């Protein structure tokens, strides 16, 4: 029987590979959270969906959110668990027409950042680049990622008064662009809206650099609000 993988399967596989690479670079101290956080996310989402809809499907999106949280936040287990609850509950509470408004992982990371569990992006490592290219191709978000990175590169050059390809090879920014920005349900879907979404996210991130929170994820959450409008107006 032929094994058929969907976009969520690919995302889980790739995030696990990136996590392993991150563990190799940063040390195995993060291994417990890479295992525990996605499991808690999956269990919580499964229980909620079962009691609401009697669904018995494996909660792949919850696993993805759990992996992203575990790969970005560097904290003790309690803040990580709090982030999981924020992410999963937001999927079921903060929604419009049965669709998420905010990227669950981004919302959880930014919220727990105000509680002292800031984003360190510890799992960002070189292998994520090639794997990221593969995933944006599979989910058809190349336009979004390329637009964001181009705008971010130009703005960084203007703000620093110099242009260098090294500015583009920022592993934190690349992790964000390949895995957080392109979340299928909460990011722009049409080519025109992806151009606007990516450009606006880069501009907004550049404007809020000095805020006491993660500027990339905060900019993304703001733009998540406009996703339905952009998709409707820019077909």
């Amino acid at each position: 029987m032929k094994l058929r993988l969907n976009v969520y399967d690919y995302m889980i596989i790739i995030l696990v590979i990136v996590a392993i690479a991150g563990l190799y670079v940063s040390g195995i101290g993060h291994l417990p959270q890479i295992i525990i956080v996605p499991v808690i996310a999956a269990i919580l989402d499964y229980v909620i969906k079962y009691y609401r809809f009697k669904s018995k499907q494996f909660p792949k999106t919850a696993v993805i959110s759990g992996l992203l949280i575990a790969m970005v936040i560097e904290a003790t287990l309690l803040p990580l668990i709090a982030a999981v609850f924020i992410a999963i509950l937001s999927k079921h509470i903060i929604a419009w027409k049965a669709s998420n408004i905010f990227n669950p992982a981004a919302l959880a990371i930014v919220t727990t950042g105000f509680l002292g569990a800031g984003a360190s992006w510890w799992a960002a490592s070189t292998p994520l680049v090639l794997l990221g290219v593969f995933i944006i191709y599979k989910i058809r978000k190349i336009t979004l990622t390329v637009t964001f990175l181009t705008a971010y590169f130009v703005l960084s050059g203007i703000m620093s008064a110099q242009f260098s390809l090294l500015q583009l090879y920022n592993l934190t920014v690349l992790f964000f662009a390949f895995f957080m920005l392109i979340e299928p349900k909460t990011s722009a879907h049409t080519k025109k809206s992806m151009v606007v979404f990516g450009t606006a996210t880069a501009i907004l991130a550049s404007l809020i650099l000095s805020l006491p929170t993660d500027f990339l994820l905060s900019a993304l959450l703001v733009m998540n609000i406009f996703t339905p409008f952009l998709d409707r107006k820019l077909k």
Side-chain angles (χ1 to χ4, degrees):
M1 185 175 69
K2 186 177 180 181
L3 180 63
R4 301 185 65 178
L5 301 177
N6 61 29
V7 63
Y8 299 108
D9 298 317
Y10 284 119
M11 181 69 95
I12 291 172
I13 292 169
I14 286 176
L15 286 178
V16 169
I17 296 173
V18 173
I20 292 172
L23 290 170
Y24 177 78
V25 173
S26 66
I28 61 171
H30 297 100
L31 180 59
Q33 68 191 59
I34 285 295
I35 297 173
I36 295 172
V37 173
V39 169
I40 294 175
I43 293 172
L44 179 60
D45 195 51
Y46 182 88
V47 169
I48 293 174
K49 286 183 176 178
Y50 180 78
Y51 279 98
R52 288 187 69 191
F53 312 112
K54 299 302 178 183
S55 172
K56 294 183 179 180
Q57 290 185 335
F58 182 76
K60 296 178 183 179
T61 58
V63 172
I64 293 170
S65 293
L67 283 168
L68 289 170
I69 289 169
M71 295 165 70
V72 173
I73 296 178
E74 189 166 12
T76 57
L77 192 57
L78 188 59
L80 285 166
I81 293 175
V84 169
F85 272 77
I86 292 170
I88 302 305
L89 291 177
S90 72
K91 290 174 56 180
H92 299 280
I93 297 174
I94 309 175
W96 174 255
K97 294 183 178 180
S99 182
N100 302 347
I101 295 177
F102 298 109
N103 179 312
L107 180 63
I109 294 166
V110 170
T111 303
T112 52
F114 289 104
L115 304 177
S120 70
W121 302 87
W122 66 265
S125 60
T126 302
L128 71 83
V129 179
L130 291 177
L131 295 170
V133 171
F134 173 78
I135 199 64
I136 63 172
Y137 166 76
K138 291 300 294 185
I139 67 174
R140 299 179 181 179
K141 297 282 186 175
I142 295 176
T143 300
L144 176 56
T145 296
V146 170
T147 299
F148 169 79
L149 289 176
T150 301
Y152 188 84
F153 172 69
V154 172
L155 290 168
S156 297
I158 293 173
M159 295 176 71
S160 63
Q162 62 178 10
F163 289 90
S164 169
L165 289 178
L166 292 176
Q167 291 172 281
L168 190 59
Y169 197 71
N170 181 316
L171 290 175
T172 295
V173 174
L174 291 173
F175 189 111
F176 170 80
F178 285 127
F179 300 112
M180 300 294 286
L181 177 71
I182 51 81
E183 200 277 329
K185 293 183 179 179
T186 58
S187 63
H189 297 89
T190 71
K191 284 192 175 182
K192 290 181 180 179
S193 65
M194 280 192 274
V195 170
V196 174
F197 189 99
T199 303
T201 302
I203 293 171
L204 186 57
S206 300
L207 293 175
I208 61 175
L209 275 169
S210 60
L211 289 182
T213 183
D214 189 276
F215 65 98
L216 292 169
L217 296 178
S218 297
L220 175 60
L221 291 175
V222 172
M223 291 308 302
N224 284 160
I225 299 172
F226 297 99
T227 297
F229 173 80
L230 293 175
D231 284 340
R232 188 169 61 251
K233 295 295 183 180
L234 301 173
K235 294 182 179 179

